[in-house]
Amino acid sequence: MPGSHLPLLEEGMARWPFGPPNAGIALDFAGSPPALDELRTLVEERWKALPRLTQTLVAPGARTGLGRWTGRHRWARADGHPLGHQVDDVDGTLRDVVRHWFHTPFPADRPPWGLHLLRGSAQGEFSLLFRMHHSLLDGRSLTTLLRALFDDGRPLDGAASLAVPGPRRRTAHAAPAAGGPPGLLAAGRPVPLPQQGAREPAYALVGLRPDVLRAAREAAPARTATTNEVFLAAVSGVLRSRLSDDDDDGARPGAGRASRPVWLSVPVDERPNDCGEFLGNAFANVRVPAPVTLADPAARLGACTGLLTTVTRARSTSERLVEGTLGALPGATMALAGGRIFAPAYAPAACSYVHLREQGQTLAGRPLRGLNIVPMVPPAGTATFALGGCTRGHTLSVATNSGARDAALLAEAFLTELAALAEWGRDRSAARTGRG
């Protein structure tokens, strides 16, 4: 709400120490780009009632003395700023703009978001990129906004966009096999990145073959796996490939890969069903164990099957108390996070999946053909794997803080793991057909 201090999650992202906390989603379309004025008119019509998009982010005052620990950002209303002014066009590709825009802070006097028409794709194609300061919106908010622009969309409701999830939240429920969630500050095992180039923020993007992804889902031993379960299993395989059998991580001599758990950080949407159109940040990062001790790709997929489900429940008094205490001392909280929660041993990889499941989506008659995620710059020594999907296919994004070569190598390793799962899936399908 304008004028209010940022809640803990958004305050943490406003203080992100690894680069500007910018993120985004790009939609690829077939056909000639629409006119810029047409796009601006569409944004003004469909998003006109959304107060969240007219806010600017105001930094706290001097961070000295007590203010160093208690100073907090706040939102301020930018009245009279037309939404259409946030829309522009660029002669460049997604990789071109990520190289610059996602490492450049938003101007302080404008709402921290932009919608960009990218004309640098192949002839007969274009992309629409929504980029944002992550304190403003989360991934679910982005898909809500972008769906509204499609030809079957409608103007979004301002009241629904302000319906902050209350005491009841959708929360993660770890499978019994996961052994329960780790403690807030419990560390696991770091996983070394390839370290093949200069240490700098980088981004890689690869497409996934639909037939390979379909076959990989059949590799689960009990049932057809979900795309998200295949995603987690493939990332686990990538992390396993980076570990040495002879490296015991200082825990127990000879323990190898089994010395300490390797955690994956997974964002979970906390919106209950009656707050689905809330615009803001309503997610929690949940850690789940990556089954890196299992050599068999299908066994890793089995370990990820049903690993993470959600339930809607009331937040406990202790949860609200802890969040309120940490939010009152953002400086101290971020200092604690810098030493523990951002360390590679806490979660060497983050995994985010965004999917538009609707069939036949079009923008001004141009069909949607792909969805690409651009994550924030991750903590040093870690990687973010982001899977974007629509009915036409999936793409994988990899973000690192250790250079373009590392990002590309991790993306290639993911494709290798996915292919291994697909081979198992084809074998299982053939065996079932033979028995029939």
Side-chain angles (χ1 to χ4, degrees), residues 382-417:
T382 73
T384 296
F385 295 81
L387 187 63
C390 67
T391 56
R392 296 290 298 273
H394 288 74
T395 58
L396 175 77
S397 306
V398 180
T400 74
N401 224 319
S402 58
R405 182 60 179 155
D406 273 17
L409 287 172
L410 292 172
E412 292 169 8
F414 182 95
L415 295 180
T416 299
E417 294 297 328

Side-chain angles (χ1 to χ4, degrees), residues 139-216:
R140 175 69 180 273
S141 300
L142 272 186
T143 57
T144 297
L145 287 171
L146 294 172
R147 280 188 176 98
L149 296 182
F150 291 145
D151 291 340
D152 61 353
R154 56 181 176 77
L156 292 175
D157 181 77
S161 75
L162 296 172
V164 180
R168 291 184 61 79
R169 301 284 181 90
R170 188 185 302 276
T171 60
H173 176 69
L184 178 62
L185 300 180
R189 183 178 181 185
V191 176
L193 298 179
Q195 300 179 355
Q196 293 293 310
R199 303 295 177 266
E200 60 183 6
Y203 173 73
L205 181 68
V206 294
L208 307 186
R209 284 176 47 187
D211 62 314
V212 173
L213 185 56
R214 283 195 300 269

Side-chain angles (χ1 to χ4, degrees), residues 90-104 116 118 129 131 374:
V90 178
D91 289 322
T93 66
L94 180 60
R95 289 182 176 86
D96 294 334
V97 301
V98 168
R99 193 175 299 118
H100 172 67
W101 283 342
F102 285 85
H103 311 309
T104 303
H116 311 288
L118 305 184
L129 168 66
R131 72 179 185 115
V374 184

Side-chain angles (χ1 to χ4, degrees), residues 34-284:
L36 187 59
D37 285 345
E38 181 182 5
L39 186 58
R40 286 172 171 161
T41 299
L42 185 62
V43 165
E44 292 277 6
E45 174 194 339
R46 302 287 175 86
W47 297 352
K48 62 183 177 182
L50 306 178
R52 189 80 176 180
L53 299 185
T54 65
Q55 298 177 150
T56 59
L57 186 61
V58 180
R63 295 182 184 177
T64 58
L66 184 61
R68 176 184 178 188
W69 305 108
T70 60
R72 295 171 66 179
H73 292 73
R74 63 182 177 86
W75 293 115
R77 188 183 298 278
D79 290 325
H81 187 84
L83 297 183
H85 287 187
Q86 303 292 113
V87 182
D88 63 15
D89 60 348
V90 178
D91 289 322
T93 66
L94 180 60
R95 289 182 176 86
D96 294 334
V97 301
V98 168
R99 193 175 299 118
H100 172 67
W101 283 342
F102 285 85
H103 311 309
T104 303
F106 283 93
D109 60 345
R110 299 185 63 180
W113 65 273
L115 186 68
H116 311 288
L117 182 63
L118 305 184
R119 302 177 182 272
S121 300
Q123 187 173 4
E125 299 177 354
F126 68 95
S127 298
L128 196 62
L129 168 66
F130 189 108
R131 72 179 185 115
M132 63 182 183
H133 188 297
H134 211 326
S135 292
L136 182 72
L137 301 166
D138 60 11
R140 175 69 180 273
S141 300
L142 272 186
T143 57
T144 297
L145 287 171
L146 294 172
R147 280 188 176 98
L149 296 182
F150 291 145
D151 291 340
D152 61 353
R154 56 181 176 77
L156 292 175
D157 181 77
S161 75
L162 296 172
V164 180
R168 291 184 61 79
R169 301 284 181 90
R170 188 185 302 276
T171 60
H173 176 69
L184 178 62
L185 300 180
R189 183 178 181 185
V191 176
L193 298 179
Q195 300 179 355
Q196 293 293 310
R199 303 295 177 266
E200 60 183 6
Y203 173 73
L205 181 68
V206 294
L208 307 186
R209 284 176 47 187
D211 62 314
V212 173
L213 185 56
R214 283 195 300 269
R217 294 181 59 194
E218 298 299 327
R223 60 166 173 82
T224 300
T226 67
T227 299
N228 195 40
E229 291 164 346
V230 169
F231 176 39
L232 296 178
V235 172
S236 297
V238 173
L239 298 184
R240 175 183 167 83
S241 72
R242 300 298 317 154
L243 294 173
S244 168
D245 284 320
D246 298 325
D247 177 15
D248 63 16
D249 191 34
R252 290 185 290 113
R257 289 191 177 96
S259 57
R260 281 198 282 175
V262 171
W263 299 109
L264 299 175
S265 177
V266 182
V268 173
D269 180 26
E270 290 193 312
R271 293 166 176 80
N273 292 338
D274 59 350
C275 293
E277 293 189 11
F278 167 71
L279 298 182
N281 283 278
F283 72 95

